[in-house]
Amino acid sequence: MKVLLINPEFPDTYWSFRHALPFEGKRCAFPPLGLLTVSALLPDSWERQLVDLNVRKLTTADIDWADMVFATAMLVQKDSLKEVVKRCKARGKRVVLGGPYVTTTIEDLPDADHIFLGEAETTLPQFIDDLARGEAKRSYKAIERPPLAATPLAHFHLADMKRYSAMSVQYSRGCPFSCEFCDIIEIYGRVPRTKSNQQMLAEFDALLALGWRGTVFIVDDNFIGNKKNVRQLLPELADWQKRHGYPFSLLTESSVNLADDESLLADMRDAGFRRVFLGIETPVAESLKEAQKSQNRGDLLESVQKIQSYGMEVMAGFIVGFDNDPVDIFERQIDFIRKSAIPLAMVGLLNALPDTQLWKRLEREGRLLGEASGNNTVCTFNFKTRMDPALLIQGYQTIMRTIYSPREYYERALASMKRTAQQFTEPTHYNVVNGVASLTRVFVRLGVIDRERKEFWRFFTKTLFKHRTRIAESLRLAAMGYHFRKLSDAYSES
Ligand code: B12
Ligand code: SF4
């Protein structure tokens, strides 16, 4: 059996990092871990190939090679997924689909042969048995969410590593909180399940053996969802990093209450966590209450600063469009982002995702307008907002233009570096040749061609004086700022 694993294309959004990746000579931020895991659940004797459309094109020869096609998708990838299914069906292939889009959509599914709803650790082996008996079903859904002990070591070797700027591993699934807009708790549950320490170390070993150096994204919904287990894992990760000379710079996602736990913060710092993505959402207490985000209590600016003081750059998600948003929400978001020194602030418009508590409430209130695009940075709403939608969109664009104007952005980047004193030099995947190439690309594009070159040189000079050991990090931040500015400009013009 020959299986072609396909990851459809992402649209050009803030999250695609598309304008930042070329500086590093990369095509995509992260490999599709879902498909790499699915591959490891298939029989060893089957042949497999991965085609990530964010890295290269899908050719007819690829499709013709395969007996069966396995594709994944998030909501934002649905147009590309439909195209993939159409092409593969036209060549007479058996098509199998899974992942968050098919699991949560309310629309008609693409015309595939088999659909996997939810996690596949128990259902895929069942499918393989059914297939051998000629009795494979159209749809598979696990009765219970599987323990992560059942998750095999992902087939990292299928990914063309040199095309990605980071590698992904997963420690836990699910989150104990109950934010109204969140679909994580509907898809992956409210009882966080974790892998064992041995499983995690085996994944680190595998990435190291494949030659990976640099950023590793622990893609958990909330890394500290199961604090008891995380506390046991972190010292082992720290020990592993030390034994191997700190080859990985870790990034993860966490709830804001991480700031309340200094021993956990110290353990994360020692294990090599350099960036953490927080769901801050809004500085407005009434909107946080509406979103049932009780864990974001207290002084959020202080919480951010506490985390930064442990050497971790804070990235964060922000949302506008809550019913309780006051008219000055836009200025308040800008002010918060400015004071918090969060360079990469992912601001989005509230979207109601299928099956969430928010979706159900809006349905009851007769305010739903249809399925969301899944991209919360395009200026559309899938529900009737309390504030005039035109005002919301205008205000949203003002936030993006302001926070990603070069002067504002570089100030935050410098303030963030100042607040995140480092114990070790950050590992990167650069060698002398690609390091020099990346540096040249940044200097030419941002320091010569770009109309905002004066701001770049101001930023770079300050970095040279104040953060000389962190040049690579400052160039990464500059490239990311450029990406966000490019997209803000494009969205404002459209
Ligand atoms: C890493 C990640 C990313 C990475 C991308 C990584 C990549 N290349 O795939 C980045 C940061 C780029 C990203 C971006 C976005 N993401 Co994202 N992301 C994640 C995250 C945290 C982990 C994904 C992962 O690797 N999981 C680990 C694997 C093992 O799990 P899995 O993919 O679910 O796979 C399992 C099953 O689903 C199943 N399966 C999956 N595929 C297939 C295929 C077949 C054939 C079969 C049989 C089974 C199967 O088997 C696997 C094993 O059980 C998830 C949350 C999560 N818990 O998964 C969100 C998540 C997938 N992202 C989400 C969203 C909304 C986004 C954004 C739109 C964010 C935004 N608001 O703008 C953007 C879109 C990208 C873009 N460019 O526009 C949503 C998707 C919701 C939906 N219904 O579609 C999720 C669920 C999180 C959330 N609720 O917000 N994301
Ligand atoms: S903390 Fe994050 S993952 Fe957990 S429920 Fe809230 S939004 Fe979802």
Side-chain angles (χ1 to χ4, degrees), residues 175 177 179 181-182 184-185 221 293 295:
C175 175
F177 294 112
C179 307
F181 55 81
C182 178
I184 281 294
I185 41 187
D221 310 311
K293 202 132 192 156
Q295 68 274 27

Side-chain angles (χ1 to χ4, degrees), residues 169-171 195-205 216-218 220 223 229-252 266-273 424:
V169 299
Q170 187 177 44
Y171 174 57
K195 288 181 181 162
S196 66
N197 295 357
Q198 290 82 343
Q199 278 176 290
M200 282 302 279
L201 296 184
E203 299 197 17
F204 273 41
D205 283 339
V216 172
F217 181 14
I218 301 188
D220 297 16
F223 180 66
N229 288 6
V230 172
R231 271 186 227 287
Q232 287 166 10
L233 171 72
L234 286 170
E236 294 209 25
L237 283 190
D239 178 56
W240 185 97
Q241 288 264 51
K242 196 170 173 195
R243 270 189 287 122
H244 295 93
Y246 296 91
F248 300 155
S249 160
L250 304 180
L251 151 72
T252 195
D267 286 350
M268 283 177 72
R269 178 194 54 205
D270 296 346
F273 281 81
F424 325 101

Side-chain angles (χ1 to χ4, degrees), residues 82-100:
K82 285 178 183 162
E83 191 56 39
V84 164
V85 174
K86 211 165 107 193
R87 282 183 65 191
C88 296
K89 289 305 294 174
R91 311 289 303 175
K93 302 298 163 182
R94 191 190 280 262
V95 175
V96 186
L97 302 183

Side-chain angles (χ1 to χ4, degrees), residues 13 15 30 33 72 74-75 98 104 120-121 183 188 219 221 374 376:
T13 65
W15 283 93
F30 309 103
L33 185 61
T72 189
M74 301 184 205
L75 216 50
T104 60
E121 276 78 357
D183 62 343
Y188 301 100
V219 299
D221 310 311
N376 59 0

Side-chain angles (χ1 to χ4, degrees), residues 343-399:
L344 299 177
M346 309 287 190
V347 190
L349 293 166
L350 185 63
N351 262 214
L353 293 170
D355 251 0
T356 55
Q357 293 307 311
L358 175 66
W359 176 275
K360 288 173 193 155
R361 172 166 69 84
L362 293 169
E363 198 168 39
R364 278 197 307 276
E365 294 174 1
R367 295 167 61 193
L368 266 185
L369 299 173
E371 184 156 279
S373 68
N375 176 3
N376 59 0
T377 57
V378 287
C379 294
T380 53
F381 289 98
N382 71 327
F383 67 97
K384 289 182 199 151
T385 53
R386 279 275 151 80
M387 198 186 289
D388 176 358
L391 266 182
L392 269 171
I393 289 168
Q394 205 185 6
Y396 170 67
Q397 288 176 335
T398 305
I399 298 180

Side-chain angles (χ1 to χ4, degrees), residues 308-487:
Q308 289 165 327
S309 75
Y310 281 84
M312 286 180 263
E313 177 192 319
V314 171
M315 302 158 73
F318 294 88
I319 299 178
V320 289
F322 291 113
D323 286 354
N324 282 288
D325 277 356
V327 281
D328 65 349
I329 178 65
F330 313 108
E331 292 87 63
R332 286 175 70 176
Q333 291 279 24
I334 292 171
D335 188 54
F336 185 94
I337 292 165
R338 199 176 274 153
K339 289 185 177 142
S340 62
I342 294 175
L344 299 177
M346 309 287 190
V347 190
L349 293 166
L350 185 63
N351 262 214
L353 293 170
D355 251 0
T356 55
Q357 293 307 311
L358 175 66
W359 176 275
K360 288 173 193 155
R361 172 166 69 84
L362 293 169
E363 198 168 39
R364 278 197 307 276
E365 294 174 1
R367 295 167 61 193
L368 266 185
L369 299 173
E371 184 156 279
S373 68
N375 176 3
N376 59 0
T377 57
V378 287
C379 294
T380 53
F381 289 98
N382 71 327
F383 67 97
K384 289 182 199 151
T385 53
R386 279 275 151 80
M387 198 186 289
D388 176 358
L391 266 182
L392 269 171
I393 289 168
Q394 205 185 6
Y396 170 67
Q397 288 176 335
T398 305
I399 298 180
M400 294 308 285
R401 262 199 317 271
T402 311
I403 65 171
Y404 287 109
S405 67
R407 176 66 64 100
E408 289 255 349
Y409 176 78
Y410 286 135
E411 284 300 325
R412 291 202 307 283
L414 286 166
S416 169
M417 285 199 280
K418 189 169 171 199
R419 288 187 191 184
T420 54
Q422 299 298 321
Q423 279 186 333
F424 325 101
T425 304
E426 187 163 8
T428 67
H429 46 69
Y430 295 116
N431 55 35
V432 177
V433 176
N434 62 27
V436 170
S438 297
L439 197 72
T440 312
R441 280 192 284 264
V442 173
F443 283 172
V444 171
R445 165 64 56 193
L446 299 182
V448 179
I449 302 173
D450 191 40
R451 65 174 192 277
E452 302 287 357
R453 53 192 171 268
K454 240 172 81 188
E455 293 298 334
F456 170 77
W457 287 116
R458 205 169 148 265
F459 166 70
F460 189 68
T461 313
K462 283 193 179 174
T463 307
L464 275 182
F465 279 111
K466 295 185 178 154
H467 311 284
R468 195 163 308 148
T469 54
R470 295 166 75 180
I471 300 291
E473 182 185 348
S474 73
L475 295 179
R476 177 188 61 80
L477 283 166
M480 291 299 248
Y482 176 75
H483 165 77
F484 279 87
R485 174 156 56 90
K486 275 283 184 221
L487 276 177

